[in-house]
Amino acid sequence: MSAKFLKIEAAGICFRVRIERPRTYLYLKRRFKNFLSKRKPDFTINFIKPDKDLKISRELFEELANNPQSLILIKSEEKYFFSAKSEPSKTIGFIDRNRNECLLYDLFARWPGSFFTDFILFCFYLFFGYRNSFMLHACGLSQNSEGYIFCGPSGSGKSTVARMSKDSQLLSDERLTISKNGEGFYVYGMPWGKAQNNYAKLKGIFFLNRGKKIAFKRLKPSLAASRIIHDASLFLDTSINANILNLVSRVVDLVPCYEMHFSLESPIWEKMPKLN
Amino acid sequence: MLTLDSCIGRNNDVPWRIIEEEAVLVSVDRGEVIHLNSVGAQIWNSIESKTKVSEIIEYIYETFDVDKDAAAKDALEFLKRLKEARVIDVS
């Protein structure tokens, strides 16, 4: 059977995926249904059946299948190789930024699309790297085309805030991209968790804490930058990380950041501070 | 082991930035973000490649209103923290 193609777009970056396994195609089409695109791609991913020479032991097979954290990105010359942490010679994919080409082996016929979302996280990191954009683990909401970001560790209430905000549009309850466009910053939903391919002008960033009543405390820029960096998706490339830190320092200069305490009864949007 | 004769330098793989007189350092391999107050940021800024610990102590003694013993104790504690976070190289 011939390969099928999907184009996926998020935060202004579009990639075309060539998929060999029919089940994988159906899985990805459903998984990325809100992010399918028709525009010209910025890069391609060849998502193919593994090479016959790639021998994966049963132990490594189980390690990879059970723990996506067992994968790492290794830079060698101009390519980034996606490999098993315990056996770096076992490359299961690569990203070639110069050629805008990527390859990922679709290892497990029984688990369609394995590692694809982990792989594209690295792809976005590398392709955003020099485009004034970076990703972070947070919940994003849009209200009247204005974007609000809610950060915090698991259990801090990101999804709860999303559920409590009936008049807002969800961008994503798991992963966002902040992008500089002209003089302002914009927040985009990314295809993780519940997500929409939408964006809004960034108005404020809030670091969540559970409390008895609602309270907001403005954070000084250096502290806000540390907190944003803590939640940003950073990997191994020093110059990209330096770009991201530079971008974050401009975000905290322009966008107000607050420590926010709230409870389930809190009228979040009524009490929200006035943001310029 | 960090001594007065140790030479230190900033780890070049650690991006950092001064934001309103305070410093933010990013140690990706440790998954850590280090936030230094204005005093820490000034000391961090004073570290060149191959700076001797004794020179840092001298800098703290001259810049801040502390006696030499306190400067030495504070500097060693501060640099030990930076070393543990692998944001400085020690030789």
Side-chain angles (χ1 to χ4, degrees), chain A residues 225-231 234 245, chain B residues 24-27 30-35:
Chain A
S226 300
R227 303 279 293 270
I228 294 171
I229 285 287
H230 183 268
D231 291 330
L234 297 180
L245 182 55
Chain B
V24 179
L25 284 58
V26 186
S27 173
R30 302 260 300 174
E32 264 185 69
V33 184
I34 297 154
H35 176 242

Side-chain angles (χ1 to χ4, degrees), chain A residues 141-144 148 161-162 164-170 269:
Chain A
L141 296 168
S142 162
Q143 211 172 67
N144 303 320
Y148 300 83
V161 166
M164 290 165 72
S165 305
K166 301 286 182 211
D167 295 333
S168 305
Q169 280 183 297
L170 180 69
W269 296 96

Side-chain angles (χ1 to χ4, degrees), chain A residues 87-154:
Chain A
E87 285 185 59
S89 61
K90 301 283 188 196
T91 294
I92 62 162
F94 68 76
I95 299 167
D96 186 337
R97 276 200 67 233
N98 290 340
R99 291 171 177 263
N100 295 328
E101 282 175 6
C102 311
L103 178 139
L104 179 65
Y105 289 126
D106 192 0
L107 290 178
F108 311 121
R110 276 192 294 164
W111 294 297
S114 308
F115 310 125
F116 186 79
T117 48
D118 305 288
F119 185 70
I120 63 167
L121 187 63
F122 288 122
C123 293
F124 277 119
Y125 164 77
L126 292 170
F127 284 92
F128 281 147
Y130 300 98
R131 287 190 177 207
N132 282 334
S133 302
F134 67 95
M135 286 179 293
L136 78 163
H137 179 236
C139 169
L141 296 168
S142 162
Q143 211 172 67
N144 303 320
S145 301
E146 292 177 337
Y148 300 83
I149 293 178
F150 298 90
C151 301
S154 269

Side-chain angles (χ1 to χ4, degrees), chain A residues 41-59:
Chain A
D42 298 290
F43 65 97
T44 59
I45 299 176
N46 210 3
F47 195 25
I48 60 173
K49 291 176 191 169
D51 196 290
K52 285 194 178 71
D53 295 335
L54 181 71
K55 306 278 187 226
I56 301 270
S57 66
R58 188 176 173 80
E59 290 76 25

Side-chain angles (χ1 to χ4, degrees), chain A residues 184-196:
Chain A
F185 284 95
Y186 288 77
V187 51
Y188 291 76
M190 297 298 283
W192 277 267
K194 286 183 194 161
Q196 294 293 330

